[in-house]
């Protein structure tokens, strides 16, 4: 744990992407890869890859490349996705249901254990086996099940108050899909804000030259 | 246009975030902001902000800070979101419908003009005024309406062939929500892959120390 404290945010932000490529290599039965080949696949330079991975002690062997499996396991440990996290999802509208039905939570070492909504016609349903509870039962459920992560798919206008409620009830982190940005220093637990618009804007930028 | 060619990818990747904060400042009726105050809000350093924005000629005045409106307009120009782009959405399942119903496309200067699906019970519906057409009508529609961007919300197993079909029909860029990664150098047009798992993993990493 001490080791990773000194790793820059920029490197950490790249790790899930490394992990994604390694998973794909493993699924293609590739067992070893050189930094050069990995770089070509990922659109990076070999030296950047060597530098990034050396932050974690470096798992490559000169002339032999990296063991895909060893590197995957090591990244799982570093990213903390080996220790199964329990998640609840708030807001089982279209986006919430899309995540429950289609998103591969287990890929990230996360297990959804319950969903919550205010709509009477949605409460009581289940999606991929995950039951939807009434929002008023949130605290009772949380004190019993102790979830780690809350996935916020509610309207942005309710994001701040709901986050506060979740933190008070002991949530450890918030995955925020609402259009309201939640700040870690304001709500007091780690947050990842998913901003669809950032990537659409990046795309608009890229097609300008076309 | 020449100017931005020399701007690094890392700076460009940060611009949508600047834009997001500026939009919020404007909505709070803030007209001027110093690099120091903007830095505090965004969790960056003032010198990084000055450096990033100087890549585009720098719009701040010593001692007066930045004009929020001028900077916003300039970022809209640079990001190419001022020139309204036309988008089609493929796959009107839960995720597709969530985007059509809730995502603020116009914020990014993008206008959805049609959706496509293979399910007979979805074709013919409309979401926020956007009609869902049969997938087999894609090419006819595209040759008539000339969309710029395709939003992919179909199963990952169909991503590659559909991307090929879209490129052949003249699409300029793909916003990819499938779990299949599309590579620009393979399909021939700019792509933005949206990886939900990257941000969930980043969250798992952050809550390790809690």
């Amino acid at each position: 744990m001490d080791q990773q404290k000194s790793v820059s945010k920029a490197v950490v932000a790249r790790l899930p992407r490394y992990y994604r490529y390694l998973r794909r290599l493993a699924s293609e039965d590739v067992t070893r890869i050189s930094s050069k080949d990995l770089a070509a696949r990922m659109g990076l330079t070999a030296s950047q890859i060597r530098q990034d991975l050396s932050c974690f002690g470096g798992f490559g062997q000169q002339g032999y490349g990296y063991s895909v499996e060893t590197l995957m396991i090591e990244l799982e440990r570093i990213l903390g996705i080996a220790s199964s996290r329990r998640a609840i999802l708030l807001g089982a509208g279209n986006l919430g249901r899309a995540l429950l039905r289609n998103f591969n939570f287990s890929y990230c070492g996360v297990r959804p254990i319950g969903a919550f909504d205010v709509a009477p016609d949605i409460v009581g349903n289940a999606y991929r086996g995950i039951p939807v509870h009434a929002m008023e039962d949130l605290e009772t459920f949380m004190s019993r099940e102790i979830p780690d992560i809350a996935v916020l798919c509610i309207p942005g206008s309710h994001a701040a108050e709901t986050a506060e409620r979740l933190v008070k009830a002991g949530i450890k982190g918030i995955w925020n899909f609402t259009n309201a940005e939640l700040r870690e220093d304001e709500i007091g637990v780690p947050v990842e804000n998913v901003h669809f618009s950032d990537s659409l804007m990046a795309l608009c930028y890229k097609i300008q030259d076309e």
Side-chain angles (χ1 to χ4, degrees), chain A residues 61-75:
Chain A
Q61 251 182 297
Q62 190 84 41
Y64 289 88
Y66 297 94
S67 152
V68 171
E69 200 192 345
T70 309
L71 200 45
M72 255 175 60
I73 292 171
E74 197 57 27
L75 282 176

Side-chain angles (χ1 to χ4, degrees), chain A residues 85-98:
Chain A
R85 297 290 187 179
R86 296 149 66 84
I88 52 173
L89 183 141
L90 277 66
N94 281 119
L95 178 61
R97 289 204 293 271

Side-chain angles (χ1 to χ4, degrees), chain A residues 81 83-87 104-112 149 151:
Chain A
I81 58 181
S83 54
S84 184
R85 297 290 187 179
R86 296 149 66 84
N104 191 350
F105 281 95
S106 70
Y107 174 90
C108 305
V110 174
R111 192 160 59 88
I149 290 169
V151 186

Side-chain angles (χ1 to χ4, degrees), chain A residues 142-204:
Chain A
M142 286 184 68
S143 67
R144 193 179 64 230
E145 302 289 343
I146 326 273
D148 304 291
I149 290 169
V151 186
L152 278 198
C153 299
I154 57 177
S157 52
H158 293 96
E161 46 165 315
T162 306
E164 201 178 320
R165 206 173 143 186
L166 287 161
V167 172
K168 204 179 256 177
I171 208 73
K172 296 196 192 80
I174 294 177
W175 196 22
N176 177 26
F177 281 86
T178 77
N179 58 4
E181 179 138 336
L182 298 175
R183 286 182 49 170
E184 302 189 0
D185 55 351
E186 279 167 14
I187 67 163
V189 300
V191 179
E192 273 290 316
N193 296 295
V194 178
H195 291 293
F196 291 159
S197 58
D198 284 11
S199 78
L200 181 53
M201 282 189 194
L203 182 63
C204 287

Side-chain angles (χ1 to χ4, degrees), chain A residues 33-66:
Chain A
I33 190 158
S34 67
S35 50
K36 196 177 143 214
D37 289 349
L38 187 57
R41 281 193 172 235
M42 294 185 63
L44 299 170
T45 66
S47 79
Q48 184 172 10
I49 285 181
R50 284 193 297 267
Q51 204 178 335
D52 281 354
L53 299 181
S54 75
C55 293
F56 298 101
F59 316 102
Q61 251 182 297
Q62 190 84 41
Y64 289 88
Y66 297 94

Side-chain angles (χ1 to χ4, degrees), chain A residues 107-124:
Chain A
Y107 174 90
C108 305
V110 174
R111 192 160 59 88
I113 56 170
F116 293 84
D117 206 288
V118 291
D121 58 324
I122 291 181
V123 173

